[in-house]
Amino acid sequence: MGLIRAVGREAAAKKYDILSAMMAHALAGDPGDQRLVLRLMALITTRYNWQGDELAIGQREIARLWCVDERTVKRDMARLRALGWITVKRQGARGRVSVLGLDLERILLDTRPAWANIGPDYLARMGGDRPEAAAPPDTTVVPFRRPEIAPADGVWGRARAHLAAEDRALFDAWFAGLADGGTENGCLVLIAPSRFHAAYLRTHLLERLRTAVRRADGGIAQVRIEAG
């Protein structure tokens, strides 16, 4: 999926589309998810710089906006970081607040299952499933069914299932060939089949791997990819 950037001539419409995706996702979830997404949307609509992808606001200000205490702010911001929805661009120091960013691609990936609740026009606009004219079946071709990837034991087993469910084509191309190299001091080691494979994952897909692994086990903070 291509990343939607809310800049340019259609910036306003893109912002509404992203916020609509978050809204639909929240409404389809439990009260805890709804509250968390609503709080993030409050930060986005009041303090987020779309053009620069920057959110700079202190915990005390967030607590006032959310009508909660600062401990709740720390907990929910940690949850949003663990989801991969927000990232730390510059760590705060000497009285300066941290500058955060939004991972719009991750947000859209996570909210995609709820897009259909908005309507077919939204699906078409966002690049989701488009209704197409039915083609006559080709009776000479036997359809190939890829086996389901069920959650397995261990951190990597659970992360594999999540990655396969999220984007099966990407999983088959880049994640299926990874082997579990064990964990070391809160870091999961994955073994790639070649140096090129490992380099590509480090450059293009490392954050997606980290997010899947964190969701499988919140105690794993890092992922290291080595060539076999």
Side-chain angles (χ1 to χ4, degrees), residues 142-189:
V142 177
F144 173 71
R145 292 182 60 85
R146 291 177 294 189
E148 295 293 328
I149 305 296
D153 293 335
V155 177
W156 179 232
R158 295 191 296 275
R160 275 173 52 89
H162 175 81
L163 290 164
E166 188 174 83
D167 188 328
R168 185 56 190 267
L170 188 68
F171 173 84
D172 289 342
W174 295 104
F175 301 133
L178 294 175
D180 188 347
T183 58
E184 301 175 0
N185 300 319
C187 176
L188 174 67
V189 179

Side-chain angles (χ1 to χ4, degrees), residues 2-228:
L3 175 63
I4 290 183
R5 297 190 61 81
V7 295
R9 295 174 58 186
E10 299 180 353
K14 292 175 182 177
K15 292 174 186 177
Y16 276 115
D17 282 340
I18 293 167
L19 292 172
S20 295
M22 297 173 66
M23 173 200 65
H25 171 78
L27 292 173
D30 60 36
D33 292 336
Q34 292 172 5
R35 186 167 51 247
L36 182 67
V37 175
L38 175 62
R39 287 172 174 171
L40 177 58
M41 291 176 71
L43 292 179
I44 292 172
T45 55
T46 59
R47 290 290 184 267
Y48 181 59
N49 180 335
W50 289 91
Q51 187 168 6
D53 180 31
E54 291 188 348
L55 175 64
I57 181 172
Q59 290 184 354
R60 184 174 301 176
E61 293 176 271
I62 296 176
R64 183 171 61 247
L65 176 63
W66 289 356
C67 300
V68 298
D69 56 33
E70 291 188 40
R71 183 167 59 181
T72 299
V73 172
K74 292 179 181 179
R75 182 195 66 208
D76 279 6
M77 294 300 281
R79 287 180 62 194
L80 290 167
R81 288 195 300 272
L83 286 171
W85 285 28
I86 63 173
T87 59
V88 179
K89 299 182 71 174
R90 292 194 298 276
Q91 191 69 46
R94 294 186 179 181
R96 295 184 178 181
V97 300
S98 297
V99 177
L100 308 175
L102 294 183
D103 189 334
L104 297 180
E105 183 178 10
R106 169 50 52 187
I107 290 173
L108 293 177
L109 281 168
D110 287 347
T111 59
R112 187 167 187 165
W115 291 1
N117 298 342
I118 302 175
D121 58 327
Y122 183 85
L123 276 175
R125 188 166 65 251
M126 296 292 284
D129 295 333
R130 294 181 173 85
E132 297 179 353
D138 186 347
T139 57
T140 65
V141 177
V142 177
F144 173 71
R145 292 182 60 85
R146 291 177 294 189
E148 295 293 328
I149 305 296
D153 293 335
V155 177
W156 179 232
R158 295 191 296 275
R160 275 173 52 89
H162 175 81
L163 290 164
E166 188 174 83
D167 188 328
R168 185 56 190 267
L170 188 68
F171 173 84
D172 289 342
W174 295 104
F175 301 133
L178 294 175
D180 188 347
T183 58
E184 301 175 0
N185 300 319
C187 176
L188 174 67
V189 179
L190 297 174
I191 310 301
S194 68
R195 290 184 180 179
F196 170 78
H197 200 115
Y200 185 91
L201 289 169
R202 293 189 199 108
T203 303
H204 301 284
L205 296 171
L206 185 56
E207 192 54 42
R208 185 174 289 206
L209 272 172
R210 286 173 177 162
T211 298
V213 168
R214 282 197 300 264
R215 293 181 181 185
D217 186 338
I220 305 297
Q222 296 294 328
V223 175
R224 188 170 78 245
I225 303 170
E226 299 179 354

